[in-house]
Structures are given as structure tokens and as C-alpha cells.
Amino acid sequence: MKLNEDNCGPTLRISKELHAMKYRGEGESFLEAQVRFANALKDSPEHFKALKKILVDQRFMGGGRTQAAIGAPRKVTAFNCFVSGTMEDSFDHIMKTYTEAGKTMRLGGGNGYDFSPLRPKGDLIVKLESRSSGPVSFMSIGDAICGTISAAGHRRGAQMAVLRVDHPDIEEFVTAKHNRDQLTRFNTSIGITDEFMEAVVNREEFALRFNGRIYEYVDAYTLWEKIMRSTWEWAEPGVLFLDVINNMNNLKYCETIAATNPCGEQPLPPYGACLLGSFNMIKYVNSGGFDYEQFRRDIRVVVRAMDNIIDRTIYPLPEQEQEAKNKRRMGLGMTAVANAGEVLGYSYGSKEFIKWFEEVAIILRDSLYWGSVELAEEKGSFPLFDADKFCDSNFVKTLPDDLQQAIRERGIRNSHLISYAPTGTISLTADNVSGGIEPVFSHYYDRTVQTFDGPIVERVEDYAYRVYGVAGKKATECTPEEHLSVLATASKYCDSAVSKTINCDPNMDWEDFKNIYLTAWQTGCKGVTTFNPGGSRFGILNEVVEENEQEEPANEACYINTETGQKECA
């Protein structure tokens, strides 16, 4: 069948409009945008043909910045997310960090920061004979800068602030967003250590320290209760398990990770950058079941294309370019997982669903790594590749033996390859497939959107519900155990991290809620986020609501969507 704008791409009006606003140039059709993307990233005519077919069918969708930037005349980066350089404990360096962040945001990138190197509130500043105002106070500068750049560019900015749990100002950080109007352009997460979690479990004292000096001992369990109360009531801060992240890092031998991108699915070193993209799993479902062979073939095509972005895009900062090219990191994952699994007959979170999801997660992992090995033979391994050290990393040791041996002998093109992003906007542009690895929130909802032709109100139905008549298990119907089993499965086969929100019943037992986080740590998850729809920030939500989007959604702006109850990133 001849391809044209009438028989390819999204079919829902809202999906067409959003795709045009977010990812296409003026007057550019959906088909033309996919041809642009494939042409800019092709290695050969055969590669172009295969990649174009994948993109036109929406079997794979690059992250928002990737789709908008590649091959386009606009001067924006194709990288979705960055982490700032290490923020040193001086006013000049703090301002340098924010200057670099501003440059990054101007070109469309989100930023993550580790504020842990900043001295605690009240510490003496000898040169000025004054006292430090602490890391939380300096967050307000970044909040203002982000707001200014967002206002100029008509997009909400995206930032992640991280503070280690052993920092003396941790309690102030926990409560910093107990409001509705301060630090609104920051997501916040606490860097949790194994030492702290063990102190919580054993009901021991825990040292708050800075630069080797112990400031005070606190009761770890009491501090944990405060963190949990904040996440329950205010949906922040999130939790990052730093030791798990670093212990499972393929590049543990040459980098230390202290922060993540704004949505938390990409732990990154200083000046780290990552490409994002997701395979649309519902597109591999047909009358014969799930097309595993097509999935495998597509992965090899896509990893080659995404690797080319590293050399064919622009970077806000030279340090980011060097970091990206030295390690050639990317984060490819899945979306429409719930839709695909449930159309196949597996209820979300059930044993049957987990068995199927584990199968496709293994295929994704192994096919990406094999594809990267093949690229290394052709184009060379990433510059910081050390065969012995890389193959000795804890995640690589989980790969099949023949794949480990191939990496040792033939090299690998990319240091990291897998990430499970929330995919809020790209999932909607694919006719509203279920986002990322999340369950369906509702089978339909009403939405008001400002389009080029003015506001429209549409009933937006879940893809599986509309196309297959399958009413999937809703997020509020899933137990915490079902949510956690999906999170743990994704984490096991992911070399970066996973963005997933565990929806909670406002009336659930308090100990059960806290056990979500404890179980996540114990099962090797790198982070966890929960959402209580009865909390102070959001109130009780209805499934059929209207959303007035007078602003274009932000690139990589991550937030709890009051319509879906889930964390989303544009």
C-alpha cells in the first residue's frame, strides 16, 4: 500500500494535533517528519527503508526532543535529559552551574542537579564572616531561571533536585515543597544509601555529615517516617537508591552517579546526557499473538539509528558532548506494555502478565546489547570501554554467557542501552496507548486542548479499549504488589533505571504503604515513586475530567498528571 498522510500515523484528532505541535515543523506532515528522521539517521539505503517503516508504523518513537530535533532546521538538541556538572561549594561555581543549565534548557534539555556538595545551612563562610543559607535556598535561583527561560520559550522547564539522605539539611529538603507555589519547577528526590536503609530496618542512629564532619546523629526510623509522610501527603520527594544505582552501573570503574534526569529513569554522571526512545508494544500484537521476531529485527535497526544521533546532533555544552561521545549512552525502553499484555489476555500485574513482560524485557535487553556489539565491530567501541572492567560489572554479569563473551572479544558501542521512561506525550501521539510500563488509568476521559484551530473538547479513549474492546485493569485496581512486581521485573533487565508510579488507595494501611519502599529497595529497584490521590497537593480526582492545556506541554517536564494520576514527561 502506498504511504500517504491519510493511511499512516495517529488517527485520533487530538493525537494528530499534538504530534504536529510537538514534533513537526510548520506545514510538515506526519509522513514527512518520519522520512526526515530516518534520512538524518540512516547508515545506508537499506537502513533508511527499514527505519522509515518502523517509524511510520509507530512501532518505535524517539523521545520528544529527538523527534523534534533530528534533521530539523531548528537549533535544538536531540538529547532529552542532562545532569549538571558537579556543583562545587562556592557562590561563583553555583552560578556557573546555573548558567550552564540555562544554556541547556534554551536548547530543549532538562536538568538534574546534586545539591549535596553545598555546605549546610548556618555553616560559617570564613571569607565573608557570614553564615551559609544552605542548599535548599540555592534551589530557588534555579527555579527562577527555569521559569524565565520557560516563559520566553513557551514551555515549562524540567529540573530534578537531589540531596543525599546523610546531608545535615535533609529534613529541610524533605519539607521544601510542602506548598503549592514554591520550587514548582523542580522535582525532588532523596539519594538514599544502603547504610541508611539498614539503620532504618535495625532501628539505629544515623549520622548526618558533611565533608567528613558529623553534625548530628538522628534516629533513622524517625527520619524515614518523615520522608514517608511527605511522599504520602505531597507526592515528593521521590526516592533514589544511590548504592543500588552505582553498584549496578556498567561504568562503575570510571564514574560515580549522584543525580538523575528530571523523571528519574536516567541516572547520569556529571555532564551526563542520554537519548530516550520507546518501542510501542501494542504494534507487535496481531492475530497470531505477539510478533517476537519483528520485535527483534526492529531493535537492531533502531539501535543503529539512535547511536548515530550522538554524532549528528548539537550539544548545549562542550562538556556534555565529550561525555556523550566518550560513553555513547542511550536509554531505549517500551510503551503500551499494559495494552499489549492485556490484549494478549494477561491481566496487568498477574503472574501471566509478569511472565510475558519478563520475556519481552529479556529480548529487549539482549537484542540491544547484541546490536551494540555488532556496531562496535563496524564502528568501534565507546572510547572509555575497558573489556575486563566492563564485563566485571554487576549488570553485565547477568547477560547470557555468549553475549558476555562477545562483548569481551568484540567490544560494545554503547555503555548503556536501556531505560523505561514515562512516555506521557509520545504515547498520546500514538493514539493514546498506555504510557510506559504503567497500567491504564481510565478507559476514557474528556480533555480540552488548545490547537492551531482553537480549543477542542474530545473524549479520549484508551487504545486497547477503543481498538480491541479490552477494558484493562486500571491503576487504582492494581495492588501495590502488582505494581511492584512490574517495577522489579523492569529493573532487573534494565541497565539504567525505570520511571514508574505506584498508585495507592488513600485508605491503605500505613505500614503497607511504607513497605512499598522497603520492598523496592530489597528487590533491587533503583528508585520508586508513589501517588496518593487523597494527598494535600492534588485532592480527590475523578476519572472523567477536563484538562485545560493553555500552554504547550514541556519537553521533559515531569509532573503528576491530575487527569491520569501518573507521573508524566512530555
Side-chain angles (χ1 to χ4, degrees):
M1 181 173 65
K2 183 179 179 181
L3 293 176
N4 58 59
E5 186 64 12
D6 295 325
N7 58 30
C8 66
T11 61
L12 297 180
R13 179 174 177 179
I14 186 173
S15 302
K16 291 180 178 180
E17 294 283 359
L18 190 57
H19 194 282
M21 286 193 292
K22 291 284 290 180
Y23 307 137
R24 309 205 304 252
E26 186 175 354
E28 186 178 42
S29 70
F30 173 85
L31 179 58
E32 288 167 342
Q34 309 321 303
V35 170
R36 160 176 59 82
F37 191 95
N39 185 62
L41 299 180
K42 70 179 186 294
D43 268 351
S44 67
E46 294 75 22
H47 185 222
F48 167 78
K49 183 177 179 181
L51 180 60
K52 183 183 75 170
K53 178 61 175 172
I54 293 168
L55 298 173
V56 168
D57 288 350
Q58 291 190 294
R59 300 201 300 264
F60 174 83
M61 298 172 287
R65 284 299 83 204
T66 301
Q67 292 192 53
I70 288 299
R74 290 188 295 172
K75 189 177 180 181
V76 292
T77 182
F79 280 81
N80 298 73
C81 50
F82 300 85
V83 160
S84 73
T86 301
M87 189 179 290
E88 298 176 7
D89 187 31
S90 74
F91 179 79
D92 288 344
H93 200 275
I94 293 169
M95 299 311 295
K96 174 179 179 290
T97 298
Y98 279 135
T99 298
E100 293 176 341
K103 292 179 180 178
T104 300
M105 285 185 278
R106 284 185 65 197
L107 293 189
N111 278 286
Y113 314 81
D114 175 29
F115 286 88
S116 305
L118 303 189
R119 75 187 72 185
K121 186 176 184 178
D123 253 23
L124 179 66
I125 304 174
V126 176
K127 289 183 179 179
L128 300 178
E129 296 184 353
S130 63
R131 300 284 175 176
S132 169
S133 57
V136 173
S137 68
F138 284 104
M139 287 170 59
S140 61
I141 300 175
D143 194 60
I145 292 172
C146 181
T148 301
I149 293 173
S150 299
H154 306 291
R155 293 177 180 270
R156 294 188 299 270
Q159 301 182 108
M160 170 69 83
V162 178
L163 194 73
R164 287 177 60 95
V165 71
D166 54 13
H167 192 283
D169 285 2
I170 187 61
E171 293 193 53
E172 182 184 6
F173 184 79
V174 169
T175 61
K177 293 190 67 177
H178 286 191
N179 56 74
R180 293 178 175 83
D181 58 359
Q182 297 176 30
L183 302 178
T184 57
R185 297 173 185 91
F186 269 109
N187 292 331
T188 59
S189 287
I190 298 175
I192 300 289
T193 62
D194 286 349
E195 177 191 8
F196 175 72
M197 291 306 296
E198 289 162 2
V200 171
V201 171
N202 297 322
R203 303 292 182 99
E204 296 172 344
E205 288 191 328
F206 179 73
L208 303 184
R209 57 177 75 93
F210 183 78
N211 278 353
R213 171 190 162 193
I214 295 177
Y215 280 62
E216 65 174 312
Y217 286 93
V218 297
D219 180 76
Y221 187 80
T222 301
L223 176 55
W224 183 240
E225 281 278 320
K226 187 168 188 174
I227 294 168
M228 292 292 95
R229 288 291 176 188
S230 181
T231 61
W232 174 258
E233 191 68 22
W234 294 95
E236 287 192 89
V239 163
L240 304 173
F241 296 117
L242 290 181
D243 288 329
V244 179
I245 288 170
N246 282 290
N247 288 337
M248 294 301 292
N249 183 10
N250 290 351
L251 294 181
K252 185 179 179 181
Y253 62 88
C254 65
E255 67 181 25
T256 299
I257 291 175
T260 74
N261 74 319
C263 282
E265 77 275 10
Q266 269 303 145
L268 294 168
Y271 292 114
C274 191
L275 298 166
L276 298 176
S278 299
F279 290 90
N280 186 355
M281 303 305 281
I282 193 66
K283 293 292 185 173
Y284 296 96
V285 176
N286 55 40
S287 58
F290 190 87
D291 194 340
Y292 294 99
E293 289 308 311
Q294 184 68 62
F295 186 40
R296 288 187 178 94
R297 289 194 297 269
D298 286 357
I299 291 170
R300 303 290 185 93
V301 174
V302 167
V303 71
R304 175 180 288 274
M306 294 297 284
D307 179 72
N308 284 335
I309 292 178
I310 298 166
D311 301 310
R312 301 178 187 179
T313 190
I314 62 172
Y315 295 83
L317 304 171
E319 295 90 344
Q320 294 164 343
E321 181 174 7
Q322 181 179 5
E323 173 70 23
K325 291 181 176 179
N326 277 343
K327 300 169 183 176
R328 307 192 71 83
R329 220 180 205 104
M330 67 176 74
L332 306 185
M334 309 178 200
T335 193
V337 170
N339 280 171
E342 293 189 307
V343 168
L344 291 169
Y346 313 130
S347 177
Y348 186 91
S350 66
K351 290 181 180 179
E352 296 78 12
F353 183 94
I354 296 300
K355 181 181 179 181
W356 167 78
F357 179 46
E358 185 170 35
E359 185 175 4
V360 293
I362 290 172
I363 291 173
L364 178 69
R365 179 198 67 181
D366 294 353
S367 298
L368 284 171
Y369 270 75
W370 276 116
S372 190
V373 168
E374 293 165 1
L375 282 176
E377 284 191 299
E378 179 184 334
K379 300 182 178 183
S381 298
F382 66 91
L384 293 183
F385 174 68
D386 182 304
D388 290 336
K389 293 178 180 177
F390 188 85
C391 290
D392 192 47
S393 67
N394 290 328
F395 183 81
V396 174
K397 288 179 180 178
T398 68
L399 301 177
D401 290 343
D402 59 340
L403 182 48
Q404 292 185 50
Q405 188 63 27
I407 293 171
R408 189 178 294 276
E409 294 176 353
R410 297 153 62 184
I412 192 164
R413 181 70 169 166
N414 313 95
S415 69
H416 298 73
L417 289 144
I418 311 158
S419 180
Y420 288 89
T423 72
T425 302
I426 66 171
S427 295
L428 181 53
T429 63
D431 282 343
N432 197 35
V433 299
S434 59
I437 62 171
E438 302 286 8
V440 174
F441 178 74
S442 63
H443 303 135
Y444 59 86
Y445 58 86
D446 293 335
R447 184 180 176 106
T448 303
V449 178
Q450 297 290 340
T451 73
F452 296 127
D453 300 321
I456 59 172
V457 179
E458 289 194 359
R459 174 148 293 187
V460 183
E461 295 180 319
D462 169 66
Y463 186 95
Y465 181 76
R466 179 175 63 88
V467 176
Y468 290 94
V470 173
K473 183 186 290 186
K474 294 183 287 186
T476 53
E477 297 170 341
C478 297
T479 67
E481 291 76 19
E482 289 169 336
H483 280 290
L484 274 171
S485 64
V486 174
L487 173 61
T489 301
S491 299
K492 183 178 180 180
Y493 301 104
C494 177
D495 59 19
S496 292
V498 179
S499 178
K500 168 142 182 56
T501 299
I502 297 175
N503 292 72
C504 299
D505 184 337
N507 299 312
M508 75 182 297
D509 182 81
W510 178 240
E511 292 301 317
D512 290 342
F513 173 74
K514 291 189 296 180
N515 280 335
I516 292 172
Y517 288 80
L518 182 61
T519 303
W521 172 64
Q522 292 171 334
T523 55
C525 299
K526 295 170 183 175
V528 63
T529 300
T530 54
F531 175 68
N532 164 28
S536 293
R537 184 170 290 168
F538 304 103
I540 301 298
L541 305 179
N542 296 317
E543 290 183 8
V544 180
V545 296
E546 294 185 359
E547 177 184 326
N548 187 1
E549 289 195 350
Q550 295 185 353
E551 294 182 38
E552 180 182 350
N555 164 61
E556 272 304 286
C558 306
Y559 51 93
I560 299 291
N561 188 322
T562 54
E563 184 174 280
T564 66
Q566 297 177 13
K567 183 170 67 175
E568 294 188 1
C569 295

